Amino acid sequence: MNAPPDASSTANGPGFGPDLAEVFGPSQGAGGPELVQLLTPEGERVHHPEFDMDFSAEQLRGFYRDMVLTRRIDTEATALQRHGELGIWAQLLGQEAAQIGAGRALRPQDYVFPTYREHGVAWCRGLDPLKLLGLFRGVDHGGWDAAEVNFGQYTIVIGAQTLHATGYAMGIQRDGDVGTGDAERDAAVVAHFGDGASSQGDVNEAFIFAASYNAPVVFFCQNNQWAISEPIERQTRIPLYQRALGFGFPGVRVDGNDVLATYAVTQAALQRARDGQGPTLVEAYTYRMGAHTTTDDPTRYRLSDDVESWKLKDPIARVEVYLRRNGLVDDTFMAEIAAEADDLGHTLREGCKAMPDPLPSAIFEHVYAEETEELRLQREGFAAYQASFEGAHA
C-alpha cells in the first residue's frame, strides 16, 4: 500500500501557467473539450503538451494493483450489503482511476476531505478498508483516526466537506506550511466531491473563500455524470471545470478513467497549491458504472447503451493492455494480483461479519476532546435509563 515513486514531469512543466489560455487549449479527444489524456481506452500511450510525465514500470504496476484491489473492496462490500451485512454501500465501480490517480499524487503531509465514495483514496492513504465497512455496517460513525492518515471522516452532507477543506487549507496557510520551498513541509488539501455536489451552495461558497484567500486547496470533482438520477445536462450548461474561471482560479478537465493523466494533473494542481499559488478545480470526467448506492436502481433512469459504451473505457483494462503490450507484466504477476485480491476479499468478508455491535453508551464517546458538563449529565441519565431495564447492557 505504499505510494509509487514520484514521476518526473517533462521540461514543459506541469501546466497552470500564468496564461490560462494555455491550459484551456484545443480539444483533446473524446469526452468533451480540453480533456487531458495520457492513456487511451485502447491502451495506447499518448502525450500532452502541459501535463506529460514519465512513468516507471514499477509505478505502472502499482497503479494497476491499486485499482484491482480497490475494485475488489467495492465488489465485496456490495455483496456484503446484498447479504444483509451492511446497511448501505456507495459504489465506486468505474471510478478507480480517478481515485487512485488522485490518491497517489498526495504527499504524506497533504490532507484529504472525502465524500462517502472515496474508497480508493482511503486505500492510498493506508486506511484499513474494514474501517470503511464499520461505518456502513452501522457499528461506528467512522472508526479511524483522521489525523493518523490525513484522511477525514466520510461526509454524508453533500458538499459540506469543501468548506471544511477550504478552512483547513487556510489554517495550513496561516501556520506557514505553504510556499516555503521545503518539500517535506509545504502541504495542500484536496476536497473530493461529485458533479451533483457542484450544484450545492456550500461548494460555491468554498470556491469564493478559497479564491479570496488564495487557499492551498484542490477541488477534485469526480464527474460521473449522474447526481443520483439527474444527468449532468440538467446541472450545468458548460463543462464543470470552466466554472473555476468565474471564481478566479484555473480549472482543468482530465480523463477520469485514465490513471496516468489523473495522477499527472492532480500532482500539478497539488504542487501549485503547495507553492502558494492558490486553488485549482480538477474535473475528472468519468462514469458511474454501478448504482448511486445499493438502494438505487439506475436502470430506471439511464440507458443500457451508455453503460455498455463506457465499459469499453474501463480504467483497469486499459492499463492491463498497456502493461501486456509492452512486456511489463506476465501471467505470474497477474496471478499474484488476483490471489492478493482474493485474500483481501476473504479478509473483508470475515472481518465485517466479526464486527461487534457497539454498546449503546458508545454514542457519548469521542464527541468532544474534553467532556462537557452537559454531555456528562446526558451520559449519566442515559446510563440510568438503560439500567432500569432487566438484563440491559450499558
Side-chain angles (χ1 to χ4, degrees):
M1 290 166 61
N2 293 328
D6 285 341
S8 58
S9 61
T10 64
N12 291 332
F16 304 121
D19 183 3
L20 295 182
E22 294 179 3
V23 178
F24 307 127
S27 175
Q28 297 292 330
E34 299 87 42
L35 183 78
V36 178
Q37 187 178 83
L38 298 181
L39 190 66
T40 70
E42 296 74 29
E44 178 187 357
R45 182 74 164 88
V46 293
H47 300 278
H48 189 275
E50 297 295 330
F51 297 99
D52 206 15
M53 301 186 75
D54 295 322
F55 296 90
S56 68
E58 179 186 1
Q59 215 175 358
L60 295 169
R61 287 190 290 264
F63 287 143
Y64 178 80
R65 172 182 175 271
D66 284 336
M67 289 193 292
V68 169
L69 296 181
T70 296
R71 180 168 291 185
R72 187 53 175 264
I73 293 169
D74 188 59
T75 55
E76 288 294 339
T78 300
L80 284 165
Q81 192 280 331
R82 298 306 189 205
H83 284 83
E85 300 295 341
L86 299 181
I88 193 173
W89 179 251
Q91 297 172 292
L92 61 69
L93 185 64
Q95 299 178 224
E96 295 88 355
Q99 296 200 12
I100 297 303
R104 288 306 183 198
L106 296 161
R107 289 180 180 170
Q109 67 268 30
D110 297 330
Y111 202 101
V112 178
F113 285 84
T115 65
Y116 44 78
R117 202 186 302 275
E118 271 65 61
H119 320 315
V121 184
W123 171 264
C124 291
R125 297 309 268 173
L127 187 64
D128 183 349
L130 276 173
K131 293 188 179 296
L132 301 178
L133 300 190
L135 172 64
F136 290 96
R137 189 173 172 84
V139 300
D140 58 51
H141 294 158
W144 62 87
D145 184 348
E148 181 180 339
V149 290
N150 276 16
F151 184 84
Q153 300 296 321
Y154 272 8
T155 305
I156 307 301
V157 179
I158 305 300
Q161 71 279 5
T162 57
L163 284 171
H164 307 158
T166 300
Y168 191 94
M170 292 168 62
I172 289 176
Q173 189 180 52
R174 282 151 179 75
D175 286 341
D177 293 331
V178 177
T180 69
D182 184 347
E184 296 184 0
R185 177 180 176 182
D186 289 341
V189 178
V190 179
H192 286 272
F193 60 100
D195 50 288
S198 70
S199 300
Q200 293 288 334
D202 284 5
V203 174
N204 291 271
E205 290 167 10
F207 287 177
I208 293 172
F209 268 88
S212 299
Y213 291 95
N214 207 44
V217 58
V218 175
F219 296 107
F220 192 94
C221 175
Q222 291 175 72
N223 179 4
N224 65 24
Q225 301 177 55
W226 289 97
I228 309 182
S229 60
E230 290 299 309
I232 186 65
E233 293 81 10
R234 292 186 182 176
Q235 300 179 67
T236 182
R237 296 303 182 205
I238 62 171
L240 290 178
Y241 79 92
Q242 291 184 357
R243 289 185 177 181
L245 286 177
F247 294 91
F249 55 88
V252 60
R253 171 181 277 188
V254 62
D255 182 351
N257 283 23
D258 176 358
V259 68
L260 306 187
T262 304
Y263 177 91
V265 167
T266 308
Q267 187 186 70
L270 284 166
Q271 190 56 47
R272 183 176 182 274
R274 297 187 199 106
D275 289 341
Q277 298 180 42
T280 302
L281 172 60
V282 175
E283 178 193 356
Y285 190 81
T286 181
Y287 195 80
R288 194 193 75 211
M289 295 300 295
H292 174 69
T293 69
T294 47
T295 62
D296 174 40
D297 179 10
T299 63
R300 299 179 62 184
Y301 54 80
R302 70 182 185 188
L303 301 175
S304 59
D305 287 349
D306 291 341
V307 179
E308 291 302 315
S309 68
W310 274 91
K311 285 183 179 179
L312 301 176
K313 303 175 184 179
D314 184 86
I316 298 177
R318 70 174 71 181
V319 175
E320 180 177 352
V321 168
Y322 181 80
L323 290 171
R324 288 188 178 276
R325 180 183 296 159
N326 290 275
L328 300 178
V329 297
D330 54 20
D331 290 341
T332 300
F333 172 84
M334 291 298 181
E336 290 173 350
I337 296 299
E340 187 177 3
D342 288 342
D343 289 343
L344 176 60
H346 176 78
T347 298
L348 292 176
R349 289 192 299 274
E350 297 306 312
C352 178
K353 290 184 286 187
M355 290 179 181
D357 291 336
L359 293 173
S361 60
I363 195 173
F364 295 97
E365 298 175 4
H366 311 298
V367 178
Y368 298 108
E370 297 181 5
E371 186 178 55
T372 65
E373 178 66 13
E374 180 182 15
L375 185 65
R376 183 187 66 80
L377 293 173
Q378 290 178 353
R379 176 173 54 79
E380 292 176 352
F382 181 76
Y385 173 73
Q386 288 291 111
S388 68
F389 295 93
E390 183 177 357
H393 297 283

